[in-house]
């Protein structure tokens, strides 16, 4: 049976964007993220984080540090009644990567590699799935992968992105949209 996913960019959607976040003490959750995730779960969405981690490519922190932070974040979310199905990340960067991390990769958004992994690994139907991001690369990945809807949290990008998406000022707008979809089905 296929299912739908709510794909969440991490920095700027789950946690406040501070630039290359890698320390637990620097995490501030974005207002509304717990409620959005709980509602999405109730509506049958699987929660999947899809995050570019150029900070690993650049050598600012390593994959172990990323995984430690994410284990903490996953536990913290669980305390709020939120269960992540998967955390996909891309540690590569085509220009700024060091050593083996300097390369193009289909996982790096706007590439669709991380979204497509959810088909095989989680049985997700992309056409029924939704993305929330704060960058044009998130919107481009969602559009290329044929997601049902993409949401851009305003504030990070200085100008409009290409493609199709809904710009929102807060996560509660995404939550309301999900609830409205559910009624209209
Ligand atoms: Mg982001």
């Amino acid at each position: 049976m296929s299912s739908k996913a709510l794909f969440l960019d991490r920095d700027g959607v789950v946690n406040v964007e501070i630039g290359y976040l890698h320390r637990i003490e620097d995490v501030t959750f974005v207002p509304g993220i717990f409620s959005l995730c709980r509602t999405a779960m109730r509506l049958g969405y699987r929660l999947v984080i899809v995050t570019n981690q150029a900070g690993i490519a650049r050598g600012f922190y390593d994959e172990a540090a990323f995984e430690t932070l994410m284990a903490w974040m996953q536990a913290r979310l669980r305390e709020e009644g939120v269960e992540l199905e998967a955390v996909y990340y891309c540690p590569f960067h085509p220009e700024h990567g060091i050593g083996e991390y300097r390369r193009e990769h289909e996982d790096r958004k706007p590439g669709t590699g991380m979204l497509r992994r959810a088909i095989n690994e989680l049985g997700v139907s992309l056409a029924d799935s939704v993305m929330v991001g704060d960058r044009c690369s998130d919107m481009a990945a969602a559009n290329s992968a044929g997601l049902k809807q993409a949401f851009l949290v305003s504030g990070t990008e200085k100008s409009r992105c290409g493609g199709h998406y809904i710009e929102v000022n807060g996560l509660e707008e995404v939550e309301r949209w999900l609830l409205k979809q559910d009624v209209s089905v």
Side-chain angles (χ1 to χ4, degrees):
M1 196 186 81
S2 73
S3 58
K4 54 192 177 182
L6 180 65
F7 291 106
L8 300 164
D9 172 45
R10 194 195 72 179
D11 299 310
V13 173
V14 178
N15 56 267
V16 172
E17 170 72 285
I18 61 164
Y20 305 112
L21 170 74
H22 62 285
R23 294 188 309 193
I24 289 166
E25 58 266 36
D26 293 335
V27 173
T28 304
F29 286 100
V30 171
I33 187 63
F34 302 138
S35 183
L36 168 62
C37 287
R38 283 191 295 257
T39 294
M41 287 172 66
R42 187 160 55 77
L43 298 176
Y45 290 87
R46 329 256 310 259
L47 303 177
V48 181
I49 288 184
V50 287
T51 176
N52 286 351
Q53 288 295 317
I56 297 171
R58 289 168 178 264
F60 296 162
Y61 48 94
D62 61 14
E63 295 195 51
F66 173 81
E67 282 168 11
T68 298
L69 175 65
M70 290 315 297
W72 175 87
M73 192 177 277
Q74 203 148 358
R76 184 67 193 84
L77 288 166
R78 193 171 290 138
E79 287 173 4
E80 300 290 339
V82 173
E83 199 63 48
L84 295 180
E85 294 275 345
V87 175
Y88 297 148
Y89 68 99
C90 179
F92 305 108
H93 193 286
E95 296 116 46
H96 303 296
I98 294 169
E100 60 175 330
Y101 291 114
R102 181 173 173 167
R103 54 166 293 193
E104 304 274 357
H105 199 286
E106 60 178 6
D107 279 355
R108 183 170 164 79
K109 297 173 287 183
T112 57
M114 293 191 286
L115 302 178
R116 286 185 287 105
R117 269 175 74 182
I119 302 173
N120 297 328
E121 296 182 10
L122 303 173
V124 158
S125 158
L126 295 183
D128 297 316
S129 296
V130 173
M131 158 79 88
V132 186
D134 69 331
R135 292 197 183 270
C136 294
S137 53
D138 299 319
M139 303 301 101
N143 284 174
S144 297
L147 298 198
K148 181 177 181 179
Q149 185 63 56
F151 290 93
L152 180 76
V153 177
S154 68
T156 303
E157 293 287 5
K158 298 295 170 253
S159 46
R160 273 195 58 79
C161 306
H164 301 286
Y165 61 91
I166 298 173
E167 186 162 356
V168 296
N169 291 310
L171 296 177
E172 64 282 356
E173 293 180 44
V174 180
E175 187 176 357
R176 279 200 296 274
W177 185 92
L178 293 180
L179 286 165
K180 212 159 82 185
Q181 289 294 121
D182 191 55
V183 170
S184 59
V185 166

